[in-house]
Amino acid sequence: MSHYRLMGQFGIGQSVRRFEDARLVRGEGRFHDDVSLPGQAHAVFVRSIHAHARIRNFDAVDSSRAPGVLGVFTGADVAGLGTMKMTLKRRRPDGSPMFAPPHRGLTRDRVRYVGDPVAMVIAQTLAEAEDAAERLVIDYEPLPSVTATADAVGGPAVWDECPDNISNVHEVGDRAATDAAFAGAARVVRRRYVISRVHAQYMETRGALGVWDAGEQRYTLYADVQYPHRVRTALATNILNVPEHQIRVIAGDVGGGFGTKGWQYPEHRLVLWAARRLGRPVKWRCERREAIPADEHARDNVTDAELALDADGRFLALRVRTLANVGAYVSSDRNLLATFSNIATLVGVYTFPTAHVQVTSVLSNTNSTAPYRGAGRPEATYVIERLIDDAARELGLDAIDLRRRNLVPASAMPYRTATGVTYDCGDFSTQMEAALKLADVGGFAARRETARRRGRLRGLGVANAIERAAGPQPEFAEIRFSPGGTAMLFMGTKNQGQGHETTFKQILHERLGLDPGDVRYVDGDTDRVAFGMGSMGSRSTVIGGTAIWMAADKIIAKGRRIAAKMLEAAEADITFANGAFAVVGTDRTLPLKDVARAAFQPAALPKGLEPGLYETATFSPPSDTWPNGCHVCEVEIDPETGAVALVAYVIADDVGTVINPLTLKGQIHGGVAQGVGQALMEQIVYDPDSGQLLTGSFMDYAIPRADSLPEVVVESHPVPTKLNPLGAKGAGEAGTVGALPVVMIAVLDALAPLGVRQLDMPASPARVWSAIREAQRPGGRA
């Protein structure tokens, strides 16, 4: 334990290196693929090669007879399994109930996207399962398909029962007031923004290992999920129809989640079903080539946005119409989450008297969409920040001054927005000015001229980001001392690489003074942790950290009673600070560890006090928090090749109280990388005629490398919230929310002198080059 003590203090605000990194860099982590059980069989899923087709015939004879095969299963075999269910109340344009067809695990009769699972082949070894899967003969009758969001309404029907492909419509704001504001506006700016479809591309692909214990009549699922307890509930309640105590879910180290590993995938239920059917564990590991066809996708919106301004450049109203592509199946609320999460922050950090937003969720022959880092907030920020820049250019105004003119002032907090939410605190103006100074925006003109002399186009982007985080759902923590005086910390959140072990030990150290080496951290096991909602939406530190704080308060309260007896003083005279109890006005102290040991010795306890020292807490915040920040980015473009290089990136950020500056910057850097990736290179592409997936591997789907990013400078300007005792707002998605718009704004700023006015992401070299050439054509304008 002493090696921790050499590091000094570990409390809130300290830049502590992550405790979990030591085992991870030594290869001693326990990721999903590291888990193998005696006698396990291996599953391979056969997936549709068509975007839309009828299954005319299925011949599994040759496959079933292949060496090592234990079973070949289709949708007919698993028809008795349940499906996920919707709780959201949405309607179609005619007022009828939302059309939300759930996935049934293995599809029957028709496939509806490339990757739709058709069969499960299980064999003694993975190689045998793969060989047998190749022997399956499936006779498909291809049907017309639609994959492009803009073509979904009125395109070929994904489901016969929903011929117009509209799943539901959701509206927020005041339509009449917004229409009136537009009618009286001095200027109106209109634009269409296309937000591409992407994939999370985590380091470890998904997997699932199912176990059935006949003696205990109990299932165990090993899976890399972000909220194990909710997966258990979903399996028990919706899928298997058994009591929750008959299912255990275990998630070890998770090689990246980003929202996409959050919920109930078909493979989870199928390996459990197969394990019971075959009487042995069944393991599935998603191959990298399988990930994009197998996983949920993200984003994929087409948005028409309008900004109304008065003669002085004040914002009067915002009107937004979005088509959100939700894919072929809508199995649960999760598949719609990003479609309505983006609405609240479409007004950004700006004063809007009124706004109206309408989101139409459309079905297509593609994978279902679901949350991915930001879950709607990057899309919302992209729309409003692009729109402000385009308005400034169209009206001949300075884009930064236009933002200054319309920022919500700190004096207006708490501020009720036109989209119906309340920003409880924040100082957007001070933060933007700090970012502009840190980025030396005043010196940009000289840098642009220097770049011009080198034959490069230099552009500047500024974007103010705000996100809805840490929504009001409960989270659990337990502090459990042992008779020896050390402790275990059990959390209902789930670490996926964010550094939870370090952050939560810091909070515990701050409150109880415990040395991190004296604390064992546990998460991800529904048998060991009593309850949890899991990790998503930048909630873990805000809500889970507060649960730790509350449990620690209970430890202190009980410890004070024990210390009072041990110190022979009145309980009212006992104080607690720096990990020790003390008698007021004296130098008599007692370390918490000694009190913890005494808690297990009945003779040392006050009369009537229950032995032991273990406390739980469950915290549910009163409302969302609102992390925000100002991103400033500079790019250089080679006009001969269209290649875009990021040359500077600065963020002034407010995530509330900073628990660990080091891990915070790591989180923001990672978020920026994912936003940059989508802006410059990432995109899932389908052939418009056949619906065939064209970007199924890293040969075709590009992601950022280390040399894609400059040094990202982060400066914290916290305005702590009063919605929780930590003052934390959440940080996991902050980088992505601002990166997506600011990079594209910088690219367009660089191209503006050439007459390029419109460019959709990703700003790949080919797209940029084509936009330049189009603008240079006689009469051309990109």
Side-chain angles (χ1 to χ4, degrees):
M1 308 302 177
S2 61
H3 66 286
Y4 288 120
R5 295 190 177 90
L6 293 174
M7 294 171 62
Q9 293 298 309
F10 308 101
I12 291 175
Q14 300 295 315
S15 289
V16 179
R17 291 187 179 183
R18 301 196 322 176
F19 301 134
E20 50 265 68
D21 283 349
R23 64 181 176 83
L24 294 176
V25 299
R26 289 197 300 259
E28 295 169 352
R30 179 61 65 86
F31 294 90
H32 178 74
D33 201 43
D34 294 320
V35 181
S36 292
L37 299 176
Q40 72 183 17
H42 296 265
V44 166
F45 288 93
V46 178
R47 301 180 185 276
S48 170
I49 59 174
H50 296 282
H52 196 192
R54 184 175 290 108
I55 300 175
R56 286 189 293 215
N57 187 43
F58 187 96
D59 185 354
V61 174
D62 193 29
S63 179
S64 300
R65 293 173 178 172
V69 170
L70 301 172
V72 178
F73 304 106
T74 67
D77 295 302
V78 300
L81 292 175
T83 65
M84 295 297 292
K85 294 178 175 60
M86 300 291 300
T87 64
L88 291 171
K89 304 300 180 185
R90 298 280 189 269
R91 296 199 171 273
R92 287 176 27 82
D94 62 3
S96 62
M98 166 176 60
F99 184 75
H103 203 287
R104 306 200 68 85
L106 293 173
T107 189
R108 299 177 63 181
D109 304 323
R110 276 164 73 169
V111 294
R112 288 182 167 85
Y113 66 92
V114 174
D116 207 351
V118 176
M120 175 174 56
V121 179
I122 301 174
Q124 301 276 6
T125 69
L126 179 58
E128 289 172 332
E130 290 176 336
D131 289 344
E134 293 288 338
R135 300 189 187 192
L136 274 175
V137 178
I138 305 174
D139 183 12
Y140 292 105
E141 177 191 344
L143 299 171
S145 65
V146 60
T147 53
T149 305
D151 299 335
V153 179
V158 180
W159 295 83
D160 295 340
E161 304 92 324
C162 186
D164 60 4
N165 290 330
I166 297 177
S167 167
N168 67 89
V169 177
H170 183 56
E171 297 186 46
V172 166
D174 189 326
R175 182 191 288 267
T178 301
D179 289 347
F182 271 88
R187 297 298 299 269
V188 174
V189 178
R190 299 178 176 88
R191 290 293 187 276
R192 167 169 284 198
Y193 300 114
V194 177
I195 297 175
S196 54
R197 174 175 284 244
V198 292
H199 180 266
Q201 299 292 12
Y202 15 67
M203 287 199 300
E204 185 182 37
T205 53
R206 290 192 302 113
L209 172 57
V211 182
W212 168 252
D213 187 318
E216 292 193 357
Q217 290 286 291
R218 197 162 191 249
Y219 297 97
T220 298
L221 174 70
Y222 296 84
D224 49 349
V225 295
Q226 295 177 219
Y227 21 91
H229 291 83
R230 292 167 67 192
V231 169
R232 180 185 66 178
T233 300
L235 285 167
T237 305
N238 295 321
I239 308 297
L240 299 172
N241 192 28
V242 298
E244 286 189 53
H245 64 73
Q246 285 186 231
I247 301 177
R248 180 184 186 184
V249 176
I250 302 173
D253 290 316
V254 177
F258 314 121
T260 308
K261 288 182 180 176
W263 196 232
Q264 230 304 292
Y265 275 98
E267 296 87 3
H268 298 158
R269 71 192 82 163
L270 293 172
V271 295
L272 291 175
W273 176 89
R276 183 167 186 171
R277 173 79 171 253
L278 299 176
R280 60 193 296 180
V282 175
K283 182 173 183 176
W284 169 71
R285 180 188 67 187
C286 184
E287 299 292 340
R288 181 66 68 180
R289 66 179 181 272
E290 186 185 8
I292 294 179
D295 295 347
E296 291 168 326
H297 297 167
R299 319 283 197 228
D300 204 349
N301 294 344
V302 175
T303 294
D304 291 304
E306 300 174 273
L307 178 63
L309 305 93
D310 68 12
D312 296 323
R314 300 282 181 182
F315 298 163
L316 298 176
L318 178 70
R319 187 160 53 199
V320 175
R321 301 290 179 267
T322 292
L323 287 178
N325 190 339
V326 296
Y329 299 91
V330 184
S331 295
S332 70
D333 296 355
R334 165 183 168 77
N335 296 126
L336 296 180
L337 188 61
T339 70
F340 63 88
S341 293
N342 69 352
I343 293 178
T345 50
L346 274 165
V347 292
V349 295
Y350 307 102
T351 301
F352 277 95
T354 185
H356 183 259
V357 183
Q358 178 179 290
V359 179
T360 302
S361 294
V362 294
L363 301 161
S364 70
N365 295 111
T366 64
N367 298 52
S368 299
T369 50
Y372 165 60
R373 207 164 192 170
R377 280 83 89 191
E379 298 95 304
T381 303
Y382 184 84
V383 169
I384 186 60
E385 293 297 319
R386 281 287 310 269
L387 190 57
I388 291 172
D389 253 67
D390 285 341
R393 191 171 290 115
E394 184 172 316
L395 304 179
L397 302 172
D398 180 82
I400 295 175
D401 286 342
L402 185 58
R403 287 178 168 85
R404 283 195 183 105
R405 201 172 304 176
N406 290 283
L407 285 172
V408 175
S411 59
M413 297 297 172
Y415 178 77
R416 180 77 173 176
T417 73
T419 51
V421 299
T422 298
Y423 299 160
D424 66 298
C425 64
D427 191 344
F428 309 139
S429 178
T430 298
Q431 189 158 258
M432 186 175 81
E433 298 306 323
L436 298 177
K437 180 180 179 180
L438 188 63
D440 185 24
V441 169
F444 172 71
R447 295 193 293 278
R448 171 175 264 177
E449 175 58 25
T450 299
R452 187 193 65 79
R453 290 197 293 267
R454 290 187 285 105
R456 297 292 187 268
L457 305 168
R458 194 168 180 119
L460 173 72
V462 176
N464 289 311
I466 189 165
E467 60 169 314
R468 181 184 222 156
Q473 292 180 316
E475 195 49 79
F476 171 86
E478 178 183 0
I479 304 168
R480 186 189 302 174
F481 278 89
S482 67
T486 58
M488 297 183 75
L489 176 62
F490 298 85
M491 294 299 301
T493 54
K494 182 68 200 86
N495 191 19
Q496 307 137 45
Q498 302 97 326
H500 286 183
E501 180 177 344
T502 304
T503 300
F504 291 149
K505 284 185 177 182
Q506 286 183 258
I507 295 171
L508 199 58
H509 177 84
E510 180 80 17
R511 197 72 189 99
L512 296 182
L514 293 178
D515 189 291
D518 287 338
V519 180
R520 175 75 175 172
Y521 175 79
V522 177
D523 70 6
D525 187 335
T526 59
D527 270 12
R528 301 174 74 187
V529 181
F531 169 77
M533 294 298 291
S535 292
M536 68 286 177
S538 303
R539 70 185 300 273
S540 297
T541 297
V542 175
I543 309 178
T546 297
I548 295 172
W549 195 270
M550 293 166 58
D553 282 345
K554 296 178 183 179
I555 292 287
I556 293 169
K558 185 171 183 178
R560 181 177 285 113
R561 296 181 64 185
I562 300 171
K565 180 175 181 182
M566 296 175 71
L567 291 169
E568 298 180 334
E571 184 180 338
D573 293 333
I574 301 296
T575 61
F576 180 80
N578 301 317
F581 295 94
V583 179
V584 173
T586 74
D587 59 358
R588 296 167 61 204
T589 63
L590 195 61
L592 173 59
K593 183 178 283 191
D594 290 351
V595 172
R597 291 191 188 104
F600 293 88
Q601 301 168 17
L605 301 179
K607 187 176 180 179
L609 187 64
E610 180 183 358
L613 192 57
Y614 11 78
E615 297 289 350
T616 67
T618 305
F619 174 66
S620 185
S623 64
D624 306 279
T625 58
W626 302 96
N628 56 89
C630 181
H631 294 229
V632 182
C633 173
E634 290 187 33
V635 303
E636 283 192 2
I637 298 175
D638 182 348
E640 298 301 317
T641 65
V644 178
L646 271 64
V647 293
Y649 201 112
V650 163
I651 307 170
D653 212 72
D654 170 20
V655 299
T657 301
V658 177
I659 307 299
N660 185 328
L662 185 64
T663 58
L664 168 65
K665 289 178 180 178
Q667 280 289 289
I668 293 176
H669 289 178
V672 166
Q674 289 182 296
V676 167
Q678 181 166 3
L680 294 185
M681 61 194 74
E682 294 188 45
Q683 185 180 20
I684 290 175
V685 180
Y686 293 92
D687 179 84
D689 296 323
S690 67
Q692 191 56 238
L693 177 66
L694 302 179
T695 51
S697 74
F698 286 145
M699 294 294 290
D700 309 293
Y701 187 102
I703 60 173
R705 303 183 305 183
D707 61 0
S708 302
L709 297 169
E711 179 185 2
V712 178
V713 179
V714 181
E715 187 175 270
S716 293
H717 292 265
V719 179
T721 180
K722 295 181 181 178
L723 295 173
N724 62 75
L726 296 174
K729 295 180 178 179
E733 295 159 298
T736 310
V737 176
L740 196 60
V742 79
V743 173
M744 287 301 296
I745 289 170
V747 168
L748 281 156
D749 184 62
L751 296 174
L754 302 183
V756 177
R757 293 291 179 265
Q758 178 61 28
L759 180 68
D760 287 322
M761 65 178 78
S764 63
R767 282 177 177 242
V768 173
W769 186 89
S770 295
I772 292 172
R773 295 304 174 272
E774 178 65 24
Q776 290 175 337
R777 287 174 50 196
R781 190 174 190 179

